[in-house]
Amino acid sequence: MAKKIKRIKPKVFITRPIPQEGIDMFKALANVRLRKTDSWITRKELLAGVKDAEILLPILTDKIDAKVMDAAPKLKLIANYGAGFNNIDIDAATERGIMVTNTPGVLTDTTAELAMTLILTIARRVVETEGIMRAGKYPGWGPMMYIGSQVTGKTLGVIGLGHIGSRVAEIAYHGFGMNVIYYTHQVVRELESSLHARRVSLPTLLQQADFVTLHVPLNDSTHHMIGKKELNMMNKDAFLINTSRGPVIDEKALVVALRKKSIAGAALDVYENEPKMAPGLAKLNNAVLVPHIGSATKETRTAMAKLSGGNVLAYIQNKELPTLVNPDVLDRVKK
Ligand code: DGY
């Protein structure tokens, strides 16, 4: 009788608790090591944790560079818990034959909702005036008090018209009758016809938009894409919204612009040196600041867990990975 060959269960290292539904997808087929502490992993713990892992499931703030990969000689898959993968050195992974996956798509609506929330919140001074109420400083209604900016009918400038940027544009157009202008490398024909959106240059967008919203990935070409020069191009009644990645904005230059009131305000979900903020930012009334909650709904965080878990499962079962970000690696992968 032929002997059954038992495959040794691959070791999976998960750097921080994620919704259980994702882990349940592969736990029977793997040897799972979950770091149970719900805080950012230290570099030392990360280097030790990956040592014998075949699969790494990190979160989007874990820096997975060549040094981490070299500390993990058996590593074959990095299943990032996050749509953005700027935390991973993709070239280093590809060179080493390591596949990388992410969690795109499932956070489109949630992040677009937050971008829209931030637009409304900063325009209508919601946080600032809520603070007045809580402090018991509201003296009663007055015609000239707490005047904000109307959103309906204004011009929205979308930088980066991928899934999330497109969804924000749709909500703004259909829900608030906003005019949409956008800046991307390529024309997005469907949105030009369905939303009457216009593709413009970056300077034109900055000069014409009442609300500038950022939806680009972080890479060398988008780092500090909005700095002093760009902020100076914006209208003094305009607002800047960022739900993408913090380093897309030169945060120190933004603090200067907000202090001088050369723009009306900014609403941020992400920061250049997260979790820190540039000095002075937290003191400004014309800034709304939330802690990277773009994807933070039960539905989306669960869907992200299932998508990263689905990638791990597909790898274990030797199937096509649902969201491989470095397909070039396939030439080098030997399983
Ligand atoms: C991502 O997945 O890239 C988002 O920033 C999470 O909020």
Side-chain angles (χ1 to χ4, degrees):
M1 210 169 74
K3 241 182 157 183
K4 256 198 189 165
I5 301 168
K6 218 171 146 200
R7 189 183 192 270
I8 299 165
K9 288 182 177 179
K11 288 195 173 135
V12 185
F13 179 51
I14 308 173
T15 63
R16 187 168 178 169
I18 61 167
Q20 188 60 35
E21 288 88 336
I23 303 172
D24 286 347
M25 293 177 75
F26 57 80
K27 73 169 191 232
L29 302 174
N31 192 334
V32 178
R33 205 176 126 228
L34 167 67
R35 179 178 162 270
K36 294 206 177 75
T37 322
D38 201 12
S39 64
W40 283 9
I41 193 168
T42 64
R43 186 80 178 156
K44 202 169 152 203
E45 274 179 288
L46 179 61
L47 290 168
V50 294
K51 224 169 71 177
D52 52 2
E54 184 170 335
I55 302 166
L56 171 63
L57 200 161
I59 61 163
L60 59 92
T61 48
D62 299 333
K63 188 174 175 201
I64 312 298
D65 56 14
K67 194 161 173 208
V68 172
M69 296 173 204
D70 290 340
K74 297 187 184 137
L75 194 60
K76 298 272 172 39
L77 171 67
I78 302 170
N80 203 36
Y81 185 83
F85 46 86
N86 53 288
N87 57 313
I88 301 170
D89 185 336
I90 299 295
D91 291 341
T94 308
E95 270 165 32
R96 289 162 178 76
I98 301 169
M99 295 178 278
V100 179
T101 60
N102 66 338
T103 61
V106 294
L107 37 73
T108 303
D109 290 325
T110 315
T111 310
E113 274 177 13
L114 185 77
M116 215 53 228
T117 304
L118 292 177
I119 289 173
L120 295 165
T121 305
I122 187 71
R124 300 303 306 275
R125 302 174 63 175
V126 174
V127 175
E128 184 192 341
T129 53
E130 203 254 5
I132 291 170
M133 285 307 291
R134 284 182 191 272
K137 289 186 179 160
Y138 171 49
W141 192 86
M144 305 303 284
M145 285 163 65
Y146 314 136
I147 309 288
S149 297
Q150 184 159 309
V151 171
T152 302
K154 293 282 173 66
T155 296
L156 179 71
V158 186
I159 299 182
L161 209 63
H163 291 124
I164 300 170
S166 300
R167 188 72 193 117
V168 175
E170 281 168 1
I171 299 170
Y173 176 82
H174 292 297
F176 296 91
M178 296 182 86
N179 307 309
V180 177
I181 55 177
Y182 69 98
Y183 170 69
T184 51
H185 292 305
Q186 272 158 12
V187 180
V188 184
R189 294 252 174 260
E190 313 85 77
L191 293 194
E192 297 219 338
S193 51
S194 60
L195 309 184
H196 303 110
R198 244 179 341 112
R199 181 169 168 248
V200 294
S201 68
L202 183 58
T204 304
L205 183 143
L206 295 168
Q207 283 152 13
Q208 293 186 357
D210 300 301
F211 296 87
V212 174
T213 184
L214 297 168
H215 300 286
V216 287
L218 175 63
N219 53 41
D220 290 345
S221 67
T222 59
H223 182 263
H224 282 193
M225 184 180 198
I226 305 295
K228 185 177 172 195
K229 184 169 125 229
E230 291 73 22
L231 289 162
N232 282 338
M233 287 181 197
M234 286 176 67
N235 201 305
K236 76 171 199 1
D237 296 324
F239 298 91
L240 180 64
I241 317 298
N242 192 9
T243 52
S244 63
R245 285 289 182 265
V248 173
I249 298 178
D250 176 347
E251 210 167 279
K252 282 195 186 133
L254 176 63
V255 171
V256 174
L258 290 171
R259 263 198 200 126
K260 286 196 313 200
K261 299 205 167 59
S262 71
I263 64 169
L268 308 176
D269 181 41
V270 286
Y271 303 87
E272 190 167 351
N273 294 302
E274 233 169 284
K276 294 195 181 107
M277 284 182 281
L281 185 57
K283 293 219 162 73
L284 297 169
N285 258 349
N286 54 353
V288 166
L289 309 165
V290 294
H292 204 153
I293 55 170
S295 65
T297 63
K298 195 172 170 219
E299 293 83 353
T300 294
R301 290 284 164 88
T302 305
M304 287 167 71
K306 285 187 177 167
L307 191 45
S308 38
N311 277 302
V312 173
L313 181 65
Y315 167 82
I316 296 172
Q317 295 179 330
N318 214 358
K319 293 190 178 147
E320 193 179 326
L321 302 183
T323 57
L324 182 65
V325 302
N326 59 340
D328 294 354
V329 77
L330 294 177
D331 299 336
R332 297 173 185 246
V333 174
K334 283 184 249 106
K335 275 190 76 183

